[in-house]
Amino acid sequence: MSAYGSFPGSRPRRLRSTPAMRRMVAENRLHPSDLILPAFVREGISEPVAISAMPGVVQHTRDTLRKAAAEAVEAGVAGIMLFGVPADEKKDALGTAGTEPDGILQLAIRDVKAEVGDDLVIMSDLCLDEFTDHGHCGVLDAQGRVDNDATLERYAEMAQVQADAGVHVVGPSGMMDGQVGVVRDALDETGHEDVAILAYTAKYTSAFYGPFREAVGSSLQGDRKTYQQDPANSRESMRELALDLEEGADMVMVKPAGPYLDILYRVAQAVDVPVAAYQISGEFAMIEAAAEKGWIERDRAILETLTGIKRAGADTILTYWATEVAGWLREAR
């Protein structure tokens, strides 16, 4: 017997006793406005094209993208991150389709803007990989290596045309040194001071990107290990973080999310700007595949992974389940 009565005196289970009790003491809560929907729009198709490795996710037509944006608004989703998929014959070494005012990504931005206005934060992927015939995130030099500084010139052009199209936020994702500063200068010099930058601060070279390559029709030759981060490193992410903030990032991101929750936690503890995490295609595909086999409970697994990302420090989460989960959350309120 203890001095305070029967052992044990401390019983944490008291606060787990009923659903209402658990809701009341929950330390982290998902909300629809935490979620951002990544979406793909493909040039030259009349019907959505299913992505085999990502059940339920499609390459949109321009019309179905507008519908998806409207559904996201209705569900309470905060934003949409747009990826353009050009016709194969328009890909070239410089990714020129990515900087054409009437390129598929710029058209998609205008379409979504016309459909939902400012009711959804419209974000755009600012990278060359979807538009190059070699599939790399930048311009190649004579030796076939990604030329950092030549690539930055292309990113500056991309920032301008995406901003002209009406985007609210650009997401430079190529992991080029100095990309945030160059994009910030390009936006400011062209009168787009209000366009924000979501920096892909810690973007790791990952096996979990596999399904995404199908989603964007990637033409990648080789790998991206010379510019995306090594999965073995964590201090390097903090250096990237300091540089992005110094160059003018308004928000920062960790990608992928699930395998890098330790990095997400460190970043969130270190900054006073919003922190995003991207639950990427391979994370999505694993849960869908395991659920299809009956090995896990799909909906519970989805919510558990998203809650874990939120608990690690994400203010916003890019997830292909954004609209679906936002609907669940609204129904539960």
Side-chain angles (χ1 to χ4, degrees), residues 125-141:
D125 181 55
L126 199 163
C127 196
L128 290 171
D129 58 320
E130 296 100 311
F131 305 101
T132 55
D133 54 12
H134 47 72
H136 279 285
C137 297
V139 177
L140 304 184
D141 64 17

Side-chain angles (χ1 to χ4, degrees), residues 122-314:
I122 303 169
M123 305 178 171
S124 55
D125 181 55
L126 199 163
C127 196
L128 290 171
D129 58 320
E130 296 100 311
F131 305 101
T132 55
D133 54 12
H134 47 72
H136 279 285
C137 297
V139 177
L140 304 184
D141 64 17
Q143 288 74 46
R145 301 169 300 189
V146 175
D147 185 324
N148 191 94
D149 295 359
T151 299
L152 294 181
E153 295 180 16
R154 299 288 293 126
Y155 286 2
E157 296 176 51
M158 292 189 81
Q160 293 171 34
V161 296
Q162 291 178 6
D164 287 342
V167 79
H168 297 114
V169 179
V170 294
S173 62
M175 291 300 289
M176 296 297 119
D177 294 339
Q179 63 184 15
V180 172
V182 165
V183 168
R184 183 72 270 159
D185 287 345
L187 292 169
D188 292 351
E189 289 168 4
T190 55
H192 296 298
E193 296 90 350
D194 291 339
V195 174
I197 297 176
L198 170 57
Y200 282 59
T201 292
K203 183 178 180 181
Y204 284 86
T205 181
S206 172
F208 294 98
Y209 294 131
F212 181 88
R213 306 276 163 79
E214 177 189 351
V216 296
S218 175
S219 304
L220 181 63
Q221 302 167 23
D223 59 51
R224 297 177 174 138
K225 294 180 180 179
T226 64
Y227 45 102
Q228 293 178 354
Q229 286 184 230
D230 187 333
N233 293 350
S234 60
R235 289 193 302 269
E236 183 179 31
S237 292
M238 305 310 291
R239 183 183 183 194
E240 292 279 6
L241 175 64
L243 291 168
D244 283 352
L245 293 174
E246 182 180 349
E247 292 172 24
D250 299 287
M251 300 174 279
V252 296
M253 184 197 291
V254 175
K255 180 180 181 182
Y260 298 93
L261 294 180
D262 60 322
I263 307 300
L264 176 58
Y265 179 81
R266 289 188 66 180
V267 168
Q269 292 294 306
V271 301
D272 57 4
V273 299
V275 177
Y278 197 148
Q279 186 181 52
I280 66 170
S281 60
E283 299 176 73
F284 172 93
M286 286 193 302
I287 290 177
E288 291 287 355
E292 190 276 331
K293 291 284 189 181
W295 294 339
I296 61 173
E297 295 180 46
R298 176 184 181 272
D299 295 1
R300 283 187 62 196
I302 291 170
L303 288 173
E304 186 174 337
T305 57
L306 292 172
T307 301
I309 295 166
K310 177 83 172 180
R311 188 183 64 243

